[in-house]
Amino acid sequence: VLVHRKHGRGTFVRPYDSKTGVDVRSTKNIGFLSSTEMDRNDPWYNEFTNSIKRAVLKFGYNFLIISPSVCKIGNLKTFVDSRPVDGLILHSPYGGEHEKFLSDNFPCIFLDKPSSSGNTSWISIDYAEEGRMSADYLLKNGHRDIKILTVNDEGLVANKSRVVASLDVLEKHGINGNKEVIRVDNYEYSGYKLMMELLSKRETGRTDFTAILVTENYIGIEAIRAIK
């Protein structure tokens, strides 16, 4: 299930069967632009791009992956003025000045809800539901001492939504003192170190937990590597 907001139409939830059209078919190109340096080694990167490419080709378009440097406002204006694509899919967890600029001047849809969505069109996973499902899974498997590992960044809507929703589920089940939220910086590199520290503390009796709930993929991958 995805959450989809179409420009000027409000927010609603529906299964993944939506089709977004463009008004002009001049270049026969659809572009994908990430305003953050998505790591090509990230397992989700290929899932994103390959899925988009299949849909684009199905409708007779070419698929272009565009350099993140285009997201700088000056570069973005040049890009839009040159019209190298008929429409743009933008991955931007932060949003920013380019958000309004694109919504006013260029057919585009954001992959992930920007931090201030305004009148921009966007489509996103229901992150709150992910958090609830994760907490429910741990509870159904008998866990009560739970650590939540997340990113120390309020701008990341996905992580914030997962944390709030999972905490809500835990609190409804009376788990208050037995939960802990650990926020980390430099999350791409700290998951392994953090997990090793937690395991060491548990072995020496300085902390106790039976389950880890992770809200960010880099942290999760590194935490699994530490546990193994």
Side-chain angles (χ1 to χ4, degrees):
V1 174
L2 299 179
V3 180
H4 179 228
R5 184 190 194 285
K6 191 173 181 180
H7 179 71
R9 299 287 183 85
T11 304
F12 56 97
V13 177
R14 67 178 176 190
Y16 181 62
D17 62 355
S18 59
K19 298 179 178 63
T20 301
V22 295
D23 298 324
V24 180
R25 293 175 66 97
S26 58
T27 68
K28 299 283 287 184
N29 296 326
I30 296 291
F32 173 74
L33 172 61
S34 175
S35 64
T36 58
E37 284 284 359
M38 289 182 76
D39 187 345
R40 302 277 175 116
N41 295 319
D42 184 335
W44 280 266
Y45 179 86
N46 285 330
E47 289 189 27
F48 278 139
T49 54
N50 288 337
S51 297
I52 295 168
K53 183 177 181 179
R54 285 194 297 270
V56 166
L57 296 178
K58 179 180 177 182
F59 286 91
Y61 281 89
N62 301 310
F63 178 57
L64 304 178
I65 296 178
I66 301 160
S67 169
S69 63
V70 170
C71 267
K72 295 178 181 178
I73 296 300
N75 294 348
L76 187 59
K77 184 178 187 310
T78 301
F79 175 83
V80 169
D81 289 344
S82 66
R83 300 290 292 205
V85 296
D86 292 339
L88 191 62
I89 299 166
L90 177 62
H91 176 260
S92 175
Y94 292 96
E97 293 179 57
H98 59 275
E99 189 180 316
K100 183 178 186 303
F101 184 82
L102 277 170
S103 66
D104 289 345
N105 294 277
F106 206 75
C108 76
I109 186 165
F110 282 73
L111 178 66
D112 271 357
K113 180 183 177 182
S115 53
S116 56
S117 56
N119 287 324
T120 307
S121 295
W122 53 264
I123 190 164
S124 175
I125 296 169
D126 188 339
Y127 296 116
E129 182 61 18
E130 285 186 334
R132 287 188 287 269
M133 290 173 65
S134 299
D136 280 336
Y137 174 82
L138 295 178
L139 291 170
K140 287 176 181 177
N141 281 274
H143 296 287
R144 293 296 182 270
D145 295 300
I146 299 168
K147 302 283 189 189
I148 299 175
L149 307 187
T150 190
V151 181
N152 189 25
D153 192 335
E154 288 294 311
L156 290 175
V157 176
N159 288 281
K160 182 178 180 180
S161 298
R162 290 170 185 145
V163 170
V164 170
S166 60
L167 286 175
D168 183 59
V169 170
L170 296 179
E171 288 171 3
K172 284 179 179 177
H173 284 79
I175 298 177
N176 295 306
N178 294 345
K179 69 179 188 302
E180 180 183 3
V181 179
I182 302 173
R183 304 180 187 277
V184 300
D185 298 308
N186 300 317
Y187 59 94
E188 293 183 34
Y189 310 103
S190 59
Y192 179 85
K193 180 181 178 182
L194 175 63
M195 194 67 233
M196 291 297 289
E197 289 176 355
L198 287 173
L199 291 172
S200 176
K201 288 180 179 179
R202 188 172 71 167
E203 288 178 0
T204 56
R206 289 176 290 163
T207 188
D208 191 24
F209 58 92
T210 63
I212 300 288
L213 193 158
V214 184
T215 69
E216 205 287 324
N217 59 321
Y218 278 110
I219 299 175
I221 291 168
E222 289 299 299
I224 291 170
R225 188 166 69 88
I227 292 169
K228 289 182 175 180

